[in-house]
Amino acid sequence: MGETALLAGQQHVVDTGRLSTRYPKARTSVSKAREFARLFAGSIGADGVAGDLALIVSELVTNSVLHGKTAPGRQVEVTLDHSAGRVRVEVRDTGEGMPHRRPRVPLAVSGRGLEIVDALSGTWGVTEQIVGKTVWAELVVKPSEAAG
């Protein structure tokens, strides 16, 4: 089992370079996860990608909370891992719903989350779990953008 760390007043599990935390399935969790991502970027000296990382985390957590078909009372787990010139974002929930990109509708005010994730990340995908799934994305971090 990993050690625990305190970031932004919240306890997180740290295991071999991975930082994880859980949030309730609630819209308020999106802003908390976004702040978690910004603080993580700062902690690894990657301020140059903090905005992109926060946006990716925000979109994936939003999808999980709104569309993940997770039972009430369940949580969303966010894991960030910095290694080998990239940050990997993983958002896991226990819901049955699988994410998919929607057809582009020019004047729509929603429905572009995965399109944004695709544009910002080097690669992304979904890993099915025994219960639920993990949606992940990888963001390239250039040496000048990260100290760790």
Side-chain angles (χ1 to χ4, degrees), residues 18-138:
R18 294 167 59 94
L19 192 59
S20 295
T21 192
R22 291 185 179 169
Y23 298 100
K25 182 192 171 194
R27 289 177 188 246
T28 56
S29 295
V30 176
S31 61
K32 292 174 185 175
R34 190 171 38 245
E35 182 63 15
F36 172 63
R38 282 194 180 106
L39 290 169
F40 178 81
S43 76
I44 62 168
D47 292 316
V49 297
D52 288 352
L53 180 61
L55 187 52
I56 290 169
V57 167
S58 179
E59 293 299 335
L60 294 182
V61 172
T62 297
N63 281 351
S64 178
V65 167
L66 296 181
H67 308 295
K69 297 182 183 175
T70 302
R74 302 301 297 211
Q75 294 184 321
V76 176
E77 181 178 37
V78 178
T79 301
L80 301 174
D81 178 9
H82 174 239
S83 63
R86 55 114 179 113
V87 174
R88 182 177 174 97
V89 175
E90 297 178 353
V91 175
R92 186 180 190 293
D93 65 48
T94 58
E96 297 175 2
M98 296 300 281
H100 60 280
R101 287 179 64 175
R102 295 182 187 177
R104 183 181 281 221
V105 178
L107 299 177
V109 295
S110 65
R112 292 189 177 91
L114 292 177
E115 190 173 323
I116 291 168
V117 170
D118 188 54
L120 295 176
S121 66
T123 185
W124 71 276
V126 182
T127 304
E128 290 188 60
Q129 307 293 332
I130 293 171
V131 176
K133 76 270 183 197
T134 300
V135 184
W136 57 268
E138 293 185 352

